PDB file of all heavy atoms in Angstrom:
ATOM      1  N   LEU B  21     -31.573 101.150 -40.601  1.00 97.00           N
ATOM      2  CA  LEU B  21     -32.992 101.518 -40.603  1.00 97.00           C
ATOM      3  C   LEU B  21     -33.856 100.258 -40.520  1.00 97.00           C
ATOM      4  O   LEU B  21     -34.800 100.170 -39.718  1.00 97.00           O
ATOM      5  CB  LEU B  21     -33.323 102.309 -41.880  1.00 97.00           C
ATOM      6  CG  LEU B  21     -34.787 102.724 -42.047  1.00 97.00           C
ATOM      7  CD1 LEU B  21     -35.164 103.789 -41.026  1.00 97.00           C
ATOM      8  CD2 LEU B  21     -35.059 103.223 -43.466  1.00 97.00           C
ATOM      9  N   TYR B  59     -47.059 106.894 -46.485  1.00 96.00           N
ATOM     10  CA  TYR B  59     -47.147 107.875 -45.400  1.00 96.00           C
ATOM     11  C   TYR B  59     -47.126 107.186 -44.037  1.00 96.00           C
ATOM     12  O   TYR B  59     -46.464 107.644 -43.100  1.00 96.00           O
ATOM     13  CB  TYR B  59     -48.417 108.727 -45.556  1.00 96.00           C
ATOM     14  CG  TYR B  59     -48.446 109.883 -44.592  1.00 96.00           C
ATOM     15  CD1 TYR B  59     -47.699 111.031 -44.850  1.00 96.00           C
ATOM     16  CD2 TYR B  59     -49.202 109.832 -43.421  1.00 96.00           C
ATOM     17  CE1 TYR B  59     -47.693 112.099 -43.967  1.00 96.00           C
ATOM     18  CE2 TYR B  59     -49.199 110.893 -42.530  1.00 96.00           C
ATOM     19  CZ  TYR B  59     -48.448 112.027 -42.810  1.00 96.00           C
ATOM     20  OH  TYR B  59     -48.444 113.071 -41.927  1.00 96.00           O
ATOM     21  N   MET B  80     -55.522 121.339 -51.575  1.00 79.00           N
ATOM     22  CA  MET B  80     -56.865 121.359 -52.133  1.00 79.00           C
ATOM     23  C   MET B  80     -57.876 121.354 -51.006  1.00 79.00           C
ATOM     24  O   MET B  80     -57.782 120.542 -50.100  1.00 79.00           O
ATOM     25  CB  MET B  80     -56.986 120.056 -52.927  1.00 79.00           C
ATOM     26  CG  MET B  80     -58.242 119.890 -53.691  1.00 79.00           C
ATOM     27  SD  MET B  80     -58.234 120.945 -55.124  1.00 79.00           S
ATOM     28  CE  MET B  80     -59.773 121.730 -54.841  1.00 79.00           C
ATOM     29  N   LYS B  81     -58.799 122.284 -51.029  1.00 81.00           N
ATOM     30  CA  LYS B  81     -59.845 122.240 -50.003  1.00 81.00           C
ATOM     31  C   LYS B  81     -61.188 122.066 -50.710  1.00 81.00           C
ATOM     32  O   LYS B  81     -61.446 122.697 -51.733  1.00 81.00           O
ATOM     33  CB  LYS B  81     -59.851 123.516 -49.156  1.00 81.00           C
ATOM     34  CG  LYS B  81     -58.681 123.575 -48.184  1.00 81.00           C
ATOM     35  CD  LYS B  81     -58.766 122.491 -47.110  1.00 81.00           C
ATOM     36  CE  LYS B  81     -57.430 122.318 -46.393  1.00 81.00           C
ATOM     37  NZ  LYS B  81     -57.256 121.002 -45.797  1.00 81.00           N
ATOM     38  N   LYS B 113     -54.797 110.839 -70.504  1.00 97.00           N
ATOM     39  CA  LYS B 113     -53.519 110.679 -71.212  1.00 97.00           C
ATOM     40  C   LYS B 113     -52.563 109.904 -70.316  1.00 97.00           C
ATOM     41  O   LYS B 113     -52.980 109.385 -69.271  1.00 97.00           O
ATOM     42  CB  LYS B 113     -52.948 112.048 -71.575  1.00 97.00           C
ATOM     43  CG  LYS B 113     -52.806 112.992 -70.391  1.00 97.00           C
ATOM     44  CD  LYS B 113     -52.352 114.367 -70.845  1.00 97.00           C
ATOM     45  CE  LYS B 113     -52.309 115.315 -69.649  1.00 97.00           C
ATOM     46  NZ  LYS B 113     -52.083 116.702 -70.017  1.00 97.00           N
ATOM     47  N   LYS B 231     -64.426  87.793 -46.824  1.00 93.00           N
ATOM     48  CA  LYS B 231     -65.172  86.596 -47.245  1.00 93.00           C
ATOM     49  C   LYS B 231     -65.246  86.518 -48.767  1.00 93.00           C
ATOM     50  O   LYS B 231     -65.071  85.461 -49.355  1.00 93.00           O
ATOM     51  CB  LYS B 231     -66.596  86.631 -46.675  1.00 93.00           C
ATOM     52  CG  LYS B 231     -66.671  86.129 -45.253  1.00 93.00           C
ATOM     53  CD  LYS B 231     -68.122  86.023 -44.814  1.00 93.00           C
ATOM     54  CE  LYS B 231     -68.222  85.438 -43.419  1.00 93.00           C
ATOM     55  NZ  LYS B 231     -69.553  85.687 -42.839  1.00 93.00           N
ATOM     56  N   THR B 232     -65.526  87.669 -49.395  1.00 95.00           N
ATOM     57  CA  THR B 232     -65.635  87.681 -50.848  1.00 95.00           C
ATOM     58  C   THR B 232     -64.289  87.352 -51.483  1.00 95.00           C
ATOM     59  O   THR B 232     -64.204  86.577 -52.434  1.00 95.00           O
ATOM     60  CB  THR B 232     -66.118  89.070 -51.321  1.00 95.00           C
ATOM     61  OG1 THR B 232     -67.306  89.395 -50.612  1.00 95.00           O
ATOM     62  CG2 THR B 232     -66.383  89.077 -52.812  1.00 95.00           C
ATOM     63  N   ALA B 250     -59.497  99.919 -43.453  1.00 96.00           N
ATOM     64  CA  ALA B 250     -59.014 101.203 -43.965  1.00 96.00           C
ATOM     65  C   ALA B 250     -59.342 102.292 -42.939  1.00 96.00           C
ATOM     66  O   ALA B 250     -60.292 102.169 -42.166  1.00 96.00           O
ATOM     67  CB  ALA B 250     -59.674 101.511 -45.303  1.00 96.00           C
ATOM     68  N   PRO B 252     -61.039 105.172 -41.496  1.00 96.00           N
ATOM     69  CA  PRO B 252     -62.266 105.906 -41.839  1.00 96.00           C
ATOM     70  C   PRO B 252     -62.125 107.406 -41.581  1.00 96.00           C
ATOM     71  O   PRO B 252     -62.982 108.189 -41.987  1.00 96.00           O
ATOM     72  CB  PRO B 252     -63.317 105.283 -40.910  1.00 96.00           C
ATOM     73  CG  PRO B 252     -62.534 104.811 -39.721  1.00 96.00           C
ATOM     74  CD  PRO B 252     -61.165 104.436 -40.229  1.00 96.00           C
ATOM     75  N   ASP B 386     -42.549  58.276 -21.583  1.00 97.00           N
ATOM     76  CA  ASP B 386     -42.318  58.123 -23.021  1.00 97.00           C
ATOM     77  C   ASP B 386     -40.832  57.918 -23.297  1.00 97.00           C
ATOM     78  O   ASP B 386     -40.442  57.047 -24.056  1.00 97.00           O
ATOM     79  CB  ASP B 386     -42.762  59.385 -23.794  1.00 97.00           C
ATOM     80  CG  ASP B 386     -44.254  59.621 -23.719  1.00 97.00           C
ATOM     81  OD1 ASP B 386     -44.938  58.848 -23.008  1.00 97.00           O
ATOM     82  OD2 ASP B 386     -44.739  60.572 -24.360  1.00 97.00           O
ATOM     83  N   LEU B 393     -36.132  50.809 -25.990  1.00 98.00           N
ATOM     84  CA  LEU B 393     -36.180  50.326 -27.374  1.00 98.00           C
ATOM     85  C   LEU B 393     -34.870  50.624 -28.097  1.00 98.00           C
ATOM     86  O   LEU B 393     -34.384  49.825 -28.885  1.00 98.00           O
ATOM     87  CB  LEU B 393     -37.366  50.955 -28.111  1.00 98.00           C
ATOM     88  CG  LEU B 393     -38.738  50.437 -27.658  1.00 98.00           C
ATOM     89  CD1 LEU B 393     -39.859  51.294 -28.245  1.00 98.00           C
ATOM     90  CD2 LEU B 393     -38.919  48.974 -28.064  1.00 98.00           C
ATOM     91  N   ASN B 427     -59.928  69.245 -47.367  1.00 93.00           N
ATOM     92  CA  ASN B 427     -59.153  69.992 -48.365  1.00 93.00           C
ATOM     93  C   ASN B 427     -57.710  69.484 -48.395  1.00 93.00           C
ATOM     94  O   ASN B 427     -56.785  70.199 -48.065  1.00 93.00           O
ATOM     95  CB  ASN B 427     -59.190  71.495 -48.057  1.00 93.00           C
ATOM     96  CG  ASN B 427     -58.793  71.821 -46.622  1.00 93.00           C
ATOM     97  OD1 ASN B 427     -58.910  70.987 -45.721  1.00 93.00           O
ATOM     98  ND2 ASN B 427     -58.301  73.026 -46.394  1.00 93.00           N
ATOM     99  N   LEU B 440     -50.344  52.632 -37.163  1.00 97.00           N
ATOM    100  CA  LEU B 440     -49.000  53.031 -37.582  1.00 97.00           C
ATOM    101  C   LEU B 440     -48.367  52.043 -38.570  1.00 97.00           C
ATOM    102  O   LEU B 440     -47.345  52.346 -39.183  1.00 97.00           O
ATOM    103  CB  LEU B 440     -48.084  53.158 -36.354  1.00 97.00           C
ATOM    104  CG  LEU B 440     -48.452  54.245 -35.340  1.00 97.00           C
ATOM    105  CD1 LEU B 440     -47.522  54.178 -34.135  1.00 97.00           C
ATOM    106  CD2 LEU B 440     -48.366  55.634 -35.974  1.00 97.00           C
ATOM    107  N   LEU B 472     -66.919  62.050 -37.627  1.00 95.00           N
ATOM    108  CA  LEU B 472     -66.602  63.053 -36.608  1.00 95.00           C
ATOM    109  C   LEU B 472     -67.536  63.011 -35.401  1.00 95.00           C
ATOM    110  O   LEU B 472     -67.316  63.724 -34.429  1.00 95.00           O
ATOM    111  CB  LEU B 472     -66.613  64.454 -37.233  1.00 95.00           C
ATOM    112  CG  LEU B 472     -65.455  64.712 -38.211  1.00 95.00           C
ATOM    113  CD1 LEU B 472     -65.573  66.101 -38.814  1.00 95.00           C
ATOM    114  CD2 LEU B 472     -64.111  64.561 -37.517  1.00 95.00           C
ATOM    115  N   SER B 627     -40.852  17.077 -27.369  1.00 94.00           N
ATOM    116  CA  SER B 627     -40.296  16.891 -26.019  1.00 94.00           C
ATOM    117  C   SER B 627     -39.739  18.217 -25.506  1.00 94.00           C
ATOM    118  O   SER B 627     -38.852  18.804 -26.125  1.00 94.00           O
ATOM    119  CB  SER B 627     -39.199  15.824 -26.075  1.00 94.00           C
ATOM    120  OG  SER B 627     -38.408  15.912 -24.920  1.00 94.00           O
TER     121      SER B 627
END
Side-chain angles (χ1 to χ4, degrees):
Chain B
L21 178 69
Y59 189 79
M80 185 74 232
K81 286 294 164 204
K113 54 185 176 189
K231 277 187 176 164
T232 307
D386 295 4
L393 289 169
N427 52 336
L440 296 176
L472 291 178
S627 163

